[in-house]
Amino acid sequence: MDDDGTRGVRGSSADWVPGPALPPPPTTPPRVPAPATGPRPAATPVEQRPTRPGPASPAERPAPGAPVDAWLRTPRPPQEPGVWRYGYTPPPPEEPEGVSNRSLLVGALISLLSALLLWSLWRNGYLPYRLVPLKLFTPGEWWNPGTSGGPRTIEGSDALTVYEAILFGLLAYGCGRIGNFSELFRRHVADRGQPFLALAAAAAAGLTQLLVWKEALPVVRPVLVLVASAAGGEIYQSQTVVNVIYAVIAAAVLYPFARLGCWRDLIAARRGTAAPAPDGTAAAPAAATSADQWPELRTAGWTDAADTLTAEVRTGRMNDVDVARLRHAWALATRRPDRLAFLAEAVLRTGGAAALHPSGHRDLPRRGARHDVLTGQVRIGRCADDPHNPYVRRGTGLALEPALLGTSLLAVGPPGAGKTARLIRPVVEALALRALAGQAAVLAVGGAGAPLGPDDAFDVVVRLGHPGSAHDIDLYGGTTDPDEAAAVLAEGLVGDVGSLDSRRAATVLAQLLGPYRAAHGHFPSVPELRELLDGTPAALAGLRASLEAAGHHAMLRELDARSRQAGGPGDPAPALADRVALLDRPAFTGFFATGPDARPFSLRALGQHPLRVRVDLPERGHAEASRLLTRLLLAQFTAITAARTDTTLFACLVLDDATHAVTAETVRGIRRLRSVNAGAVLALRTVDDVPETLHTPLLGAVGCTAAFSGITTWDGKRFAEAWGKEWVETREVAQHTVFADQPFTRALHALRKLVTGKAVTTDAVTVRQVERERWSASELAYAVPAGHAVIRLATVQGEHAPPLLVHLDG
């Protein structure tokens, strides 16, 4: 199954997917949030410059004979979760386990020798009562007396000739069935293909013809006897009739070998007149309702718009992203009929450039994985030919899509296992393409320099701690509610501290954030928040004075409650201040700004617009601050996506390193993502990067898990428990020594032991149904080859696939 399940697909290659077209340059720059203000030096960010995709690389250019219209018409049948659907064809039925070649050859040889011996005994009259069946159905005057008496008349001789021919045919049929000659022919002749098959059939036909005309095989005389009995002996007085009969016999002997050798197909192929394959691989003219002619627009009556898009597709002015974007735009417009006219007018005016993404881009600058934008799938590998994988999945492509990512995905593997290059980046690419099609929003978070994609592939690039970054992050998630901001901020600051209650920490923050916002109209910056948590008298006095001047008595009570609780046992304020101090460093000067002039990027925009956002964290110099920010972004994402009302846009968070980012509250938030059309992709070096109390809840919250090669047996044990068990059939063979009672038998056993060196034994086979783990901890730790991963998938609808061993080539 090395064809990736793509037999019977139009075009030169079933794995081909249209690459980027050459769109016109965007007329306006990407609409992204304005850069945050601050004292850091100004720089011209690459993400703000209007970019025009350059010429596609050779691997991305459309292949000759495979334009976008052929890509559109390629079938994508519904399949099990994770199957690469583009041009998928089911594999042939699984063949039962056959005998070995040695046993097959020995069996055929014994069957042939036995048949020859039996036929020799028959022809020489050594078999008793061999003529009795014939004499029961023929007149007695044809035969000599006695059971072994031969024919007396010419009629008896002719009957014996036909009788021997029938018996020879039955003997040959039985020899072929018992010797399994059909399987022998299939393995050693037919499977070798042409022209060996035709040559072998021709050689066998020549040998058979020789044996027939030498009368070693009873064919010619029985046929002549039957023709004479039916038409009379006078028919042989004509030499022409005799020649015709001989020609018919020769053709009848030759015909089976011509069928076995596929001579007709070989001759047609050599002449170039082969008939089109029955599976429809030959290109056929597109029907009026084919996918490349936009039947949904024609059905709704917008024929002019459909003709325009059809011409765009046929001339190559549209790529796969354009097709997916316009189909999605049409689906949205049908829900609001007042927008249909505007969309049709835009299509007539700009063709495939209608309903563009806000950035003006129609494709990514380059792709590193194989995508099918029409279904949202990205191919990350191929299921290995391994006994752990079901037969129907062996050799088929494995792909991820929003229906799977909506259940969230957890990938665990040591450094160098390929998590980023072979899984994370293809997923980010796929989501970025979906965003250009207006169907998804993606937030990719990784360390500075992580290969998550070029800057031109994103609308917003935030480089925290880098003076040239044009964008900033809102620590408060863009909310104006102090309690909501406090809950998310507390989860990010101290959510990993098991000795602190995050709810109490949220209360402390709310007691400070609420009064500060009431007094100044915005939340405090990082230095101001640190002073308030440290209980600096000057900061608290100034805040109190501002509240008294504005008459915010309710907020004054909040501030008084904070003053009374400060310094008490179990007060989380010092721990919060220590964590905020990680962000109050010179490298972050100007970042996390607040106030009327600050406009940092807020994750709340992800739930409203198809944005492509990348956040680079300073992991090398500020590892603890990076973990804090990762935890904060995960908490903000789960809170914001759960609160949005419009869930038509798929939102996904991708964490290239989720070390110490998972908390009890975020696990609960991840579990809620699948119901709001959102998901998260988390990559870990080991499950121990998550608190031990969260191992089971985390594995239960995500629907998709991936164990890469090189994990430890401890991690393997957790995956094995999460994936459960299955019923398997086991065979137990016990060898028992055979003790002989007779002297002759004992002598034979002694001789056999002397020759072979082993005692004579007999096998006792026990077959049982037992329940075993799908993958054991030892197999996950030591049996997964490099470049492979064991992946278990599930959809938001509840469908699931068993853990599959996948060779990653994403």
Side-chain angles (χ1 to χ4, degrees):
M1 295 194 49
D2 295 333
D3 56 359
D4 198 20
T6 53
R7 293 178 297 276
V9 183
R10 301 183 187 91
S12 59
S13 174
D15 287 338
W16 176 86
V17 178
L22 295 179
T27 56
T28 58
R31 295 197 291 269
V32 296
T37 59
R40 59 181 181 274
T44 303
V46 295
E47 61 269 22
Q48 277 191 317
R49 297 196 298 266
T51 58
R52 176 179 180 176
S57 63
E60 295 168 342
R61 294 194 185 106
V68 178
D69 56 349
W71 170 79
L72 267 173
R73 292 194 302 267
T74 301
R76 297 167 175 83
Q79 292 298 322
E80 296 179 359
V83 175
W84 175 251
R85 294 167 49 194
Y86 179 77
Y88 174 81
T89 300
E94 183 177 9
E95 297 181 359
E97 184 178 357
V99 296
S100 63
N101 289 332
R102 179 179 178 182
S103 300
L104 192 63
L105 290 172
V106 171
L109 181 60
I110 292 176
S111 175
L112 179 61
L113 294 177
S114 300
L116 291 176
L117 176 61
L118 186 61
W119 183 247
S120 178
L121 294 176
W122 168 272
R123 293 295 299 267
N124 292 283
Y126 290 106
L127 295 180
Y129 311 107
R130 63 189 186 97
L131 300 180
V132 171
L134 180 59
K135 292 181 178 181
L136 292 176
F137 296 96
T138 55
E141 59 269 14
W142 289 4
W143 309 98
N144 293 320
T147 57
S148 59
R152 178 189 300 177
T153 62
I154 296 178
E155 290 82 359
S157 179
D158 293 342
L160 180 59
T161 301
V162 176
Y163 179 58
E164 287 183 345
I166 295 175
L167 290 180
F168 179 81
L170 294 176
L171 180 62
Y173 177 78
C175 174
R177 291 298 301 270
I178 296 174
N180 204 359
F181 278 85
S182 60
E183 179 66 16
L184 185 66
F185 175 81
R186 186 189 65 81
R187 287 192 190 182
H188 299 282
V189 179
D191 287 351
R192 300 183 65 174
Q194 299 286 13
F196 180 82
L197 175 61
L199 293 177
L207 178 61
T208 305
Q209 290 279 10
L210 179 63
L211 295 176
V212 166
W213 297 111
K214 289 292 184 180
E215 296 191 3
L217 300 180
V219 176
V220 178
R221 290 181 60 84
V223 172
L224 295 177
V225 169
L226 291 176
V227 172
S229 62
E234 296 81 4
I235 193 174
Y236 295 121
Q237 294 178 1
S238 173
Q239 185 62 35
T240 303
V241 174
V242 174
N243 292 337
V244 170
I245 295 175
Y246 285 164
V248 171
I249 293 175
V253 173
L254 197 63
Y255 179 74
F257 296 98
R259 290 291 303 271
L260 289 176
C262 300
W263 295 352
R264 180 181 179 184
D265 297 339
L266 180 62
I267 295 174
R270 292 299 174 89
R271 292 180 177 177
T273 58
D279 54 2
T281 57
T289 56
S290 60
D292 63 318
Q293 294 198 357
W294 304 85
E296 58 272 16
L297 273 70
R298 299 182 186 277
T299 304
W302 301 96
T303 307
D304 294 341
D307 291 338
T308 301
L309 294 180
T310 301
E312 293 271 308
V313 170
R314 296 288 174 83
T315 56
R317 292 195 297 267
M318 287 181 64
N319 61 8
D320 52 352
V321 178
D322 295 331
V323 173
R325 185 186 68 251
L326 290 174
R327 281 194 169 191
H328 179 68
W330 180 262
L332 293 180
T334 53
R335 301 176 187 175
R336 299 184 61 179
D338 57 314
R339 295 185 178 181
L340 289 176
F342 295 99
L343 179 59
E345 181 183 354
V347 168
L348 292 174
R349 184 176 64 255
T350 60
L356 273 180
H357 185 264
S359 66
H361 295 171
R362 297 171 63 178
D363 209 325
L364 299 179
R366 57 181 176 271
R367 303 186 189 182
R370 300 217 312 259
H371 302 270
D372 186 16
V373 187
L374 206 60
T375 58
Q377 288 190 319
V378 53
R379 188 183 184 279
I380 63 172
R382 180 192 299 271
C383 295
D385 188 4
D386 187 85
H388 287 91
N389 293 343
Y391 170 76
V392 294
R393 298 301 298 269
R394 297 175 190 173
T396 60
L398 189 83
L400 296 176
E401 56 184 307
L404 299 172
L405 299 177
T407 64
S408 298
L409 180 134
L410 175 66
V412 178
K419 299 189 300 298
T420 301
R422 300 183 179 183
L423 179 65
I424 299 298
R425 176 161 181 171
V427 168
V428 173
E429 268 189 13
L431 294 172
L433 290 172
R434 297 283 285 182
L436 290 177
Q439 304 175 42
V442 56
L443 171 62
V445 181
L452 299 181
D455 294 345
D456 295 344
F458 296 91
D459 303 315
V460 177
V461 178
V462 182
R463 298 184 178 90
L464 294 174
H466 192 283
S469 177
H471 298 281
D472 198 354
I473 284 291
D474 188 356
L475 287 179
Y476 304 100
T479 183
T480 58
D481 184 0
D483 292 326
E484 182 181 350
V488 175
L489 186 59
E491 195 64 36
L493 292 176
V494 295
D496 61 328
V497 182
S499 58
L500 286 181
D501 187 359
S502 59
R503 292 174 297 181
R504 188 172 182 182
T507 301
V508 171
L509 288 172
Q511 290 173 343
L512 297 174
L513 296 181
Y516 190 94
R517 178 171 179 79
H520 299 91
H522 58 84
F523 291 120
S525 61
V526 170
E528 294 169 335
L529 180 60
R530 180 183 179 183
E531 291 180 353
L532 293 174
L533 289 171
D534 282 334
T536 305
L540 293 176
L543 179 58
R544 184 181 297 276
S546 299
L547 291 174
E548 291 176 348
H552 295 292
H553 301 290
M555 293 303 171
L556 281 172
R557 289 195 298 271
E558 287 286 298
L559 190 60
D560 292 338
R562 172 83 287 269
S563 300
R564 290 192 302 270
Q565 297 170 3
D571 183 17
L576 291 170
D578 292 341
R579 290 299 178 88
V580 173
L582 296 173
L583 304 179
D584 190 17
R585 305 296 300 165
F588 298 113
T589 300
F591 283 91
F592 317 117
T594 59
D597 297 331
R599 298 183 61 186
F601 174 75
S602 172
L603 264 65
R604 200 167 295 273
L606 289 174
Q608 304 169 358
H609 308 287
L611 292 176
R612 302 165 293 165
V613 183
R614 194 189 77 205
V615 178
D616 295 342
L617 301 175
E619 289 184 345
R620 295 182 179 179
H622 304 273
E624 193 61 33
S626 298
R627 295 173 181 175
L628 186 153
L629 292 170
T630 303
R631 203 163 44 245
L632 178 62
L633 292 174
L634 178 57
Q636 286 186 1
F637 181 82
T638 55
I640 290 172
T641 53
R644 62 177 181 162
T645 56
D646 185 7
T647 60
T648 56
L649 195 69
F650 178 74
C652 188
L653 168 67
V654 182
L655 297 182
D656 185 48
D657 185 6
T659 302
H660 301 295
V662 179
T663 64
E665 184 60 33
T666 54
V667 168
R668 287 189 286 268
I670 290 173
R671 191 178 289 113
R672 293 191 297 265
L673 290 179
R674 67 178 64 191
S675 62
V676 292
N677 196 23
V681 179
L682 312 177
L684 295 172
R685 295 182 178 91
T686 173
V687 182
D688 290 331
D689 290 340
V690 177
E692 185 175 359
T693 56
L694 298 178
H695 290 173
T696 300
L698 177 60
L699 289 173
V702 297
C704 303
T705 49
F708 283 72
S709 60
I711 64 173
T712 63
T713 52
W714 291 274
D715 288 344
K717 180 181 179 181
R718 298 181 182 98
F719 281 108
E721 293 175 350
W723 291 339
K725 301 180 179 181
E726 63 179 345
W727 288 97
V728 297
E729 184 180 276
T730 61
R731 292 167 54 94
E732 296 180 359
V733 180
Q735 293 184 341
H736 302 285
T737 303
V738 178
F739 297 97
D741 297 331
Q742 302 298 326
F744 181 72
T745 308
R746 285 199 299 269
L748 290 178
H749 288 185
L751 179 61
R752 179 176 175 181
K753 183 176 182 181
L754 180 63
V755 174
T756 62
K758 297 180 180 179
V760 179
T761 60
T762 182
D763 294 340
V765 181
T766 304
V767 180
R768 296 187 302 174
Q769 291 282 341
V770 297
E771 192 176 22
R772 287 185 179 176
E773 293 175 333
R774 301 178 184 270
W775 281 83
S776 67
S778 298
E779 289 175 329
L780 289 173
Y782 301 111
V784 179
H788 290 66
V790 181
I791 302 178
R792 186 250 184 193
L793 302 174
T795 66
V796 293
Q797 291 81 15
E799 299 180 73
H800 59 84
L804 302 171
L805 179 62
V806 181
H807 176 239
L808 300 170
D809 55 9

